Amino acid sequence: MAVSMRDLDPAFQGAGQKAGIEIWRIESFLPVPVDKSAHGKFFTGDSYVILKTTASKSGALRHDLHYWLGKDTSQDEAGAAAIKTVELDAALGGRAVQYREVQGHETEKFLSYFKPCIIPQEGGVASGFKHPEAEEFKTHLYVCRGKHVVHVPFARSSLSHDDIFILDTQSKIFQFNGSNSSIQERAKALEVVQHIKDTYHHGSCEVAAIEDGKLMADAETGEFWGFFGGFAPLPRKTAHQEDKTAEALPAKLFRVEKDQAEPEEADQLTRDLLDTNKCYILDCGAEVFVWLGRSTSLDERKTASRAAEDMLQSLDRTRSHVVRVIEGFETVSFRANFGSWPETSQVAVSEDGRGKVAALLKRQGLNVKGLLKSAPAKEAPQLYIDCTGSLQVWRVSGNEKQLLPASDQSKFYSGDCYIFYYSYPGEDKEEYLIGTWFGKQSVEEERSSAESLAGKMVEAMKFLPSQVRIYEGSEPMEFFAIFQSFILFKGGLSDGYKNYISEKEIPDNTYSEDGVALFRVQGSGPDNMQAIQVEPVSSSLNSSYCFILHSGETIFMWFGSLTTPEEQELAERQLDIIKPNSQCRPQKEGAESEQFWDLLGGKTEYSSQKIGRDAEKDLKVKEIFNFAQDDLMTEDVFILDCHRDIFVWFGQQVDAKIKKQALSIGEKFLERDFLMEKLSGEAPLYVVMEGSEPPLFTRFFTWDFAKCAMHGNSFQRKLAIVKNGGTPVLDKPKRRAPVSFGGRSSVLSADKSQRSRSTSFSPDRVRVRGRSPAFNALAAKFENPNARNLSTPPPMIRKLYPKSGAESENGKPAQKAAAIAALTSTFEQAPREPILPRSLGGASKPAPEPNHSEESMSSRIEALTIQEDAKEDEADDDEGLPTYPYERLVTSSADPVTDIDVTKRETYLSGLEFKEKFGMAKDAFCKLPKWKQNKHKTCYATTG
């Protein structure tokens, strides 16, 4: 069904013919176009029709229609907006998806058109609104709830611990971060602050961030509370009417008959229930779909829309999202409610194949998303094991197990493996559990020994016990309940761990009672409490936990501001186990002593939210509409779905344990096919880390490399940008490896004790590092003067495909030739030694004449590069160090060499003499561990 453009409202003439956004305001029940300069400005007393047109790569146009209803708009205007939306859709071919948007409860898709937010203004066309520019400035208070920005009364009672508030004053904008808000929410709110600053203050006003709970810690905090008459504790948040959102309900299908919604009886929803000659309403609670059969008339479609509105009015659910879909163009969320949906040959709505960022991982209890919002207290989960049984624990050392005394069986070390045997009363018989626990720093040999020993124990008991394998950091609740008071120390006591750190020359950080140690205390009660040793630095602190800090007999107990008396009691109980019969000094957050901070190396920023656990293995995703680089948060994981290619992007502050699951996350996304795109399970899957994004990934964004180089969490980064006037502030430029798009590149990783020998080549320059000074001077004369030095920050814009050859400028060949003549003449006058080994070709050739062509000079440079590489195999003399005979370098020499590094005498030997004395080349010697190098030097010094 279609409507002729001739019968269409004149305001809609020519609509949807090119990509972009078009907006009409309903005035006297008729649509009036809104100028582009006013797009994003909505008034609470009006209703609007919004058309979003998107062009695919093939040139086909796709339409999304929205009608927005202000909170003060009249029922008649709202109805007119709904009817005009249906008419416009019919004129566009009847394929558009239509959305009903209610102020304060808009869909994320709608809000994505007006990033970072919309802030509706009071008034409307019917009440004769005034332009804000003509009015005197008024202080406003806004609350950011998810992606919605809502104007609230300017009063202390509007503030809460759970949300983020923006106070817009004439000279300064304050962002108040509730203590229970997440880092990502705070970062997104800063985008709103920037929007207010640019829109209402012409980009020139101060910005201040106020942290909930810091009282009057600084002048800006005091200034903020001064607007509210001074500081006072905030009350607990109560549910406001505008906070309530519709809940998801089991889907119910209604058939529209004579302006009424009649229930459709069916045991299961299937596609066969939908008749092309009728209209239907699918009520899912938070979303209500109006399905329009392709053979229905315009009047029938209008009737179905009114029936949906009337149904929501009668159910007092006016804030539910209403989505109208046309037969053959149903959305994924609509089709997902049906048990079966047949495949069709219809062109998919998303035929342009553009990439979609489809994923903010939401794993219950997992620290993937960074600092999550505090959840209300929940009942303790049920344990499926009796905790009154008998426990024995062994530490694995080498190939043996050592029984721990009862006083030490709950004290584990991160570098060790343990075996535990637990017997407990079951429902009708005695139950047995044999388990292994692997510390994060434990060695593979002892893990294998633990598995073998535990298997033998199970076999000895005729396989009656259950068996479990547990890794540090992924312990189930039942494990902690068995041990009741669990303490995890750093380091290890086993032979395997001690041998490993000795061979690798790794410092031993095993816990010592006399050293400095910091423990985080957690748990649900005296029968389930843990003390985890963490790095003794202030960034390890967390406002949601209690900590024990000791340095010898000096003991502090730190109470986070968000901890309860019960949690503080757990810390005291754990202290009696870690440091029995000792006195401690309590430290409340915000009132710490200088000695406390000195032990932690000084005060720095730290977290305030609960540390999550890896409890939910399921993958949940949420589509990001009209995505941009700013949507990528450093604490989160995102998936860029390009249909043919899938990218899994990890922020720098995502937990390392989750980073290791990159491929499995991408595989799950392909397997689930959330957007029903018929993704191939064999689609290329890329893992991209923040700061190392390749052009394959960045091409889908307007990319700013400076933002990737910023330090801190998402909030800290965006706060720096807002305060700096929109320019990213870099703490320290990161050195990047050279990038070449002309061919393959390889990176060789060597031991840190070795000298750098990396080489880079591009069509525009030759640069060899780690060569003789004379050769570097020669090569420098041929470098492109515009080329970037490797020690400088990378350019902000690169050409993806550089030209295969550099354009020559007037005079340059002559300059280069002169440089070669001058430099190579020094080689001829006083050659130190042949450039080429005899095996590669004899003595060096005479220098080329100054009138040689640039092509021959380039060949000469390339030949020198090969010669220098060949020379490296002979010796390391090319670093500019002088060489001396062995007799002058030994400590017993009668004529010792002066002015050398006496700790590295061997480096002054020539390559041939080094191999004669040590039996190996210098390169091979440098790769040896330090202790082996010393052993060789002692041995050959004695025999020499």
Side-chain angles (χ1 to χ4, degrees):
M1 181 219 69
V3 172
S4 170
M5 281 291 182
R6 183 179 52 192
D7 301 327
L8 190 66
D9 193 293
F12 290 149
Q13 293 291 340
Q17 300 305 306
K18 59 182 180 180
I21 295 178
E22 299 170 84
I23 302 178
W24 298 264
R25 182 173 57 237
I26 302 300
E27 299 181 8
S28 301
F29 311 114
L30 295 175
V32 176
V34 175
D35 190 74
K36 284 188 176 181
S37 62
H39 283 189
K41 295 182 180 179
F42 297 90
F43 290 88
T44 60
D46 289 332
S47 298
Y48 296 80
V49 175
I50 300 94
L51 171 62
K52 168 68 172 176
T53 304
T54 307
S56 67
K57 292 180 180 179
S58 64
L61 297 177
R62 185 185 66 186
H63 302 104
D64 288 294
L65 272 167
H66 307 255
Y67 60 102
W68 185 89
L69 310 177
K71 64 182 181 66
D72 299 324
T73 190
S74 67
Q75 190 64 34
D76 292 338
E77 280 192 348
I83 297 302
K84 290 300 178 182
T85 302
V86 174
E87 291 181 2
L88 179 55
D89 170 55
L92 294 172
R95 297 181 176 185
V97 180
Q98 304 165 43
Y99 302 85
R100 172 180 176 268
E101 311 286 353
V102 178
Q103 180 183 340
H105 300 270
E106 296 88 353
T107 62
E108 292 192 7
K109 188 167 194 173
F110 175 80
L111 293 176
S112 71
Y113 304 154
F114 309 102
K115 287 186 175 183
C117 66
I118 60 171
I119 303 179
Q121 303 176 38
E122 295 294 327
V125 65
S127 57
F129 61 85
K130 297 179 180 179
H131 291 288
E133 294 79 6
E135 298 179 355
E136 184 180 353
F137 186 89
K138 292 183 180 179
T139 300
H140 294 286
L141 182 65
Y142 305 96
V143 60
C144 298
R145 298 190 180 110
K147 295 186 177 181
H148 299 90
V149 180
V150 181
H151 183 271
V152 294
F154 176 32
R156 185 200 311 277
S157 58
S158 297
L159 302 176
S160 75
H161 299 293
D162 298 318
D163 295 313
I164 299 171
F165 296 83
I166 298 174
L167 180 64
D168 181 20
T169 69
Q170 189 164 10
S171 59
K172 185 179 290 188
I173 303 173
F174 297 88
Q175 176 171 315
F176 176 81
N177 299 319
S179 58
N180 294 334
S181 62
S182 69
I183 285 179
Q184 292 92 326
E185 290 173 326
R186 299 178 185 188
K188 281 296 179 185
L190 279 172
E191 296 178 6
V192 179
V193 170
Q194 184 69 55
H195 171 75
I196 295 174
K197 178 180 177 181
D198 295 338
T199 305
Y200 302 110
H201 297 268
H202 306 291
S204 59
C205 74
E206 296 183 56
V207 174
I210 309 299
E211 297 298 324
D212 183 14
K214 285 197 174 179
L215 306 182
M216 309 294 283
D218 52 56
E220 288 182 334
T221 303
E223 184 181 358
F224 171 80
W225 288 111
F227 285 98
F228 298 93
F231 174 79
L234 298 180
R236 289 194 175 187
K237 182 180 178 182
T238 58
H240 297 286
Q241 184 66 26
E242 57 268 21
D243 295 341
K244 297 178 181 179
T245 56
E247 298 181 355
L249 299 172
K252 295 181 181 179
L253 186 64
F254 298 85
R255 182 182 66 258
V256 179
E257 294 282 357
K258 299 179 180 179
D259 296 349
Q260 298 296 320
E262 301 292 340
E264 192 76 33
E265 301 296 337
D267 296 332
Q268 184 182 10
L269 294 181
T270 63
R271 171 64 179 84
D272 295 336
L273 294 173
L274 304 177
D275 185 353
T276 187
N277 297 303
K278 297 183 181 298
C279 297
Y280 295 84
I281 297 173
L282 182 66
D283 184 8
C284 303
E287 281 187 311
V288 175
F289 296 92
V290 180
W291 186 87
L292 309 174
R294 211 178 255 186
S295 301
T296 55
S297 65
L298 180 59
D299 290 336
E300 288 174 324
R301 297 182 181 187
K302 292 180 180 179
T303 299
S305 298
R306 281 195 296 265
E309 297 280 351
D310 294 341
M311 186 177 75
L312 291 178
Q313 288 285 347
S314 64
L315 297 174
D316 193 22
R317 284 172 35 205
T318 55
R319 291 185 173 85
S320 293
H321 294 148
V322 178
V323 182
R324 290 197 289 262
V325 295
I326 308 297
E327 179 184 3
F329 296 89
E330 297 86 353
T331 63
V332 172
S333 53
F334 176 84
R335 286 183 280 148
N337 292 286
F338 290 79
S340 62
W341 194 273
E343 295 184 6
T344 63
S345 59
Q346 298 297 327
V347 179
V349 176
S350 54
E351 61 185 0
D352 53 354
R354 59 193 175 89
K356 294 175 286 291
V357 173
L360 197 49
L361 289 181
K362 292 185 178 178
R363 297 165 177 259
Q364 182 180 356
L366 180 63
N367 193 23
V368 176
K369 192 182 174 185
L371 305 180
L372 299 174
K373 234 183 196 183
S374 297
K378 298 181 179 179
E379 294 182 2
Q382 180 181 357
L383 295 174
Y384 295 94
I385 192 169
D386 190 292
C387 301
T388 61
S390 175
L391 177 67
Q392 286 182 288
V393 182
W394 295 264
R395 177 186 296 112
V396 177
S397 185
N399 295 320
E400 300 178 351
K401 63 181 191 292
Q402 304 168 347
L403 181 65
L404 300 181
S407 59
D408 291 337
Q409 65 183 12
S410 64
K411 299 177 180 178
F412 283 26
Y413 287 79
S414 185
D416 294 340
C417 298
Y418 295 83
I419 301 173
F420 62 92
Y421 166 73
Y422 184 64
S423 61
Y424 59 98
E427 291 184 0
D428 54 0
K429 61 183 176 66
E430 192 78 355
E431 300 283 355
Y432 309 98
L433 177 66
I434 293 178
T436 53
W437 181 93
F438 298 155
K440 288 183 177 179
Q441 306 301 321
S442 60
V443 297
E444 191 61 38
E445 293 80 6
E446 290 187 336
R447 292 187 179 189
S448 299
S449 296
E451 290 280 16
S452 177
L453 293 169
K456 291 178 181 178
M457 293 173 64
V458 173
E459 185 177 359
M461 295 183 66
K462 300 186 183 302
F463 300 96
L464 290 176
S466 301
Q467 190 173 0
V468 62
R469 182 177 63 186
I470 298 173
Y471 290 90
E472 177 188 345
S474 300
E475 298 89 347
M477 294 175 294
E478 288 78 8
F479 175 85
F480 289 135
I482 290 173
F483 284 85
Q484 297 186 358
S485 176
F486 182 82
I487 301 175
L488 179 59
F489 297 109
K490 283 183 172 293
L493 303 178
S494 67
D495 292 341
Y497 176 78
K498 295 295 185 184
N499 294 337
Y500 176 80
I501 63 174
S502 175
E503 291 178 2
K504 299 294 183 180
E505 299 184 349
I506 300 173
D508 189 356
N509 64 346
T510 301
Y511 169 75
S512 171
E513 292 184 355
D514 299 325
V516 178
L518 179 66
F519 294 85
R520 182 182 72 244
V521 179
Q522 60 193 39
S524 59
D527 296 331
N528 181 4
M529 57 183 184
Q530 304 90 47
I532 313 297
Q533 187 179 359
V534 295
E535 289 296 326
V537 293
S538 55
S539 59
S540 297
L541 298 176
N542 190 308
S543 301
S544 296
Y545 296 90
C546 299
F547 288 79
I548 297 171
L549 172 66
H550 74 70
S551 176
E553 295 303 315
T554 303
I555 305 172
F556 295 94
M557 188 177 296
W558 186 83
F559 302 125
S561 60
L562 302 179
T563 57
T564 63
E566 292 77 14
E567 292 170 328
Q568 296 171 11
E569 181 183 346
L570 293 184
E572 295 172 357
R573 288 176 178 267
Q574 290 288 53
L575 178 62
D576 290 339
I577 301 174
I578 298 173
K579 285 282 188 178
N581 305 319
S582 299
Q583 297 294 324
C584 71
R585 288 184 256 179
Q587 303 281 303
K588 290 187 176 180
E589 183 179 3
E592 300 88 347
S593 63
E594 289 295 327
Q595 185 181 6
F596 175 84
W597 292 120
D598 289 342
L599 289 177
L600 295 178
K603 184 177 181 180
T604 60
E605 292 288 331
Y606 53 85
S607 177
S608 63
Q609 299 300 309
K610 287 282 186 182
I611 297 174
R613 295 184 53 79
D614 192 1
E616 177 67 39
K617 296 296 183 183
D618 194 17
L619 178 67
K620 298 181 180 179
V621 300
K622 180 180 180 182
E623 185 172 0
I624 309 298
F625 298 98
N626 296 301
F627 59 85
Q629 183 182 359
D630 287 339
D631 290 315
L632 301 173
M633 297 285 188
T634 186
E635 300 84 7
D636 293 330
V637 182
F638 292 82
I639 296 175
L640 180 66
D641 173 13
C642 307
H643 194 76
R644 292 185 178 180
D645 301 306
I646 304 294
F647 295 84
V648 182
W649 183 94
F650 285 91
Q652 292 177 356
Q653 299 192 20
V654 171
D655 190 271
K657 180 170 55 177
I658 307 306
K659 293 177 182 177
K660 295 178 182 179
Q661 301 174 7
L663 290 175
S664 62
I665 289 171
E667 289 168 356
K668 282 186 179 180
F669 181 81
L670 289 171
E671 178 185 347
R672 303 291 178 81
D673 195 10
F674 292 94
L675 299 178
M676 297 184 181
E677 299 176 298
K678 301 175 186 170
L679 295 175
S680 169
E682 298 179 355
L685 186 60
Y686 299 85
V687 177
V688 178
M689 297 301 300
E690 180 184 15
S692 302
E693 295 88 350
L696 278 174
F697 178 83
T698 57
R699 63 192 171 122
F700 295 102
F701 302 81
T702 301
W703 198 259
D704 184 352
F705 285 96
K707 292 181 179 179
C708 302
M710 296 185 72
H711 291 220
N713 58 40
S714 300
F715 173 72
Q716 293 166 340
R717 296 180 186 188
K718 291 198 174 181
L719 182 61
I721 292 176
V722 171
K723 287 192 172 184
N724 198 46
T727 304
V729 180
L730 306 184
D731 291 349
K732 192 179 292 184
K734 289 188 177 181
R735 177 174 168 179
R736 292 192 174 197
V739 178
S740 174
F741 297 95
R744 295 181 182 145
S745 85
S746 60
V747 179
L748 302 179
S749 178
D751 189 278
K752 290 184 179 179
S753 61
Q754 290 184 265
R755 301 170 189 172
S756 172
R757 289 180 182 166
S758 60
T759 305
S760 67
F761 174 80
S762 73
D764 291 335
R765 70 193 284 252
V766 176
R767 178 180 177 82
V768 183
R769 303 187 64 203
R771 310 299 185 196
S772 62
F775 180 78
N776 279 340
L778 176 62
K781 292 297 180 179
F782 289 87
E783 288 185 7
N784 187 332
N786 296 322
R788 177 175 62 91
N789 189 291
L790 292 180
S791 62
T792 61
M796 300 311 297
I797 300 174
R798 296 195 193 98
K799 293 182 179 179
L800 288 181
Y801 303 100
K803 297 179 181 179
S804 58
E807 296 180 5
S808 31
E809 298 176 13
N810 295 334
K812 282 195 175 181
Q815 295 174 9
K816 293 183 179 180
I820 281 190
L823 283 170
T824 54
S825 63
T826 62
F827 300 154
E828 296 168 1
Q829 293 171 4
R832 192 175 65 176
E833 58 182 73
I835 293 178
L836 280 175
R838 296 183 182 274
S839 61
L840 291 179
S844 58
K845 298 178 181 179
E849 295 298 325
N851 59 356
H852 281 188
S853 66
E854 186 176 357
E855 182 178 356
S856 64
M857 297 174 208
S858 300
S859 301
R860 175 65 175 166
I861 288 292
E862 185 176 352
L864 285 173
T865 306
I866 297 174
Q867 293 166 3
E868 289 282 341
D869 283 338
K871 185 180 169 185
E872 279 190 351
D873 294 333
E874 177 184 351
D876 256 357
D877 309 339
D878 49 352
E879 291 292 341
L881 293 176
T883 59
Y884 299 98
Y886 175 80
E887 292 73 20
R888 294 192 62 192
L889 290 171
V890 296
T891 55
S892 58
S893 174
D895 183 21
V897 181
T898 59
D899 298 326
I900 63 171
D901 185 352
V902 295
T903 64
K904 297 181 178 180
R905 296 174 183 269
E906 70 277 8
T907 60
Y908 299 88
L909 287 170
S910 68
L912 294 176
E913 196 167 18
F914 186 98
K915 190 168 185 178
E916 177 185 347
K917 295 296 182 182
F918 286 85
M920 65 181 73
K922 285 188 178 182
D923 284 350
F925 180 84
C926 291
K927 294 178 181 178
L928 296 175
K930 198 69 177 178
W931 65 272
K932 283 193 176 182
Q933 291 182 10
N934 294 333
K935 184 177 180 181
H936 274 281
K937 287 193 286 187
T938 304
C939 176
Y940 287 104
T942 304
T943 57

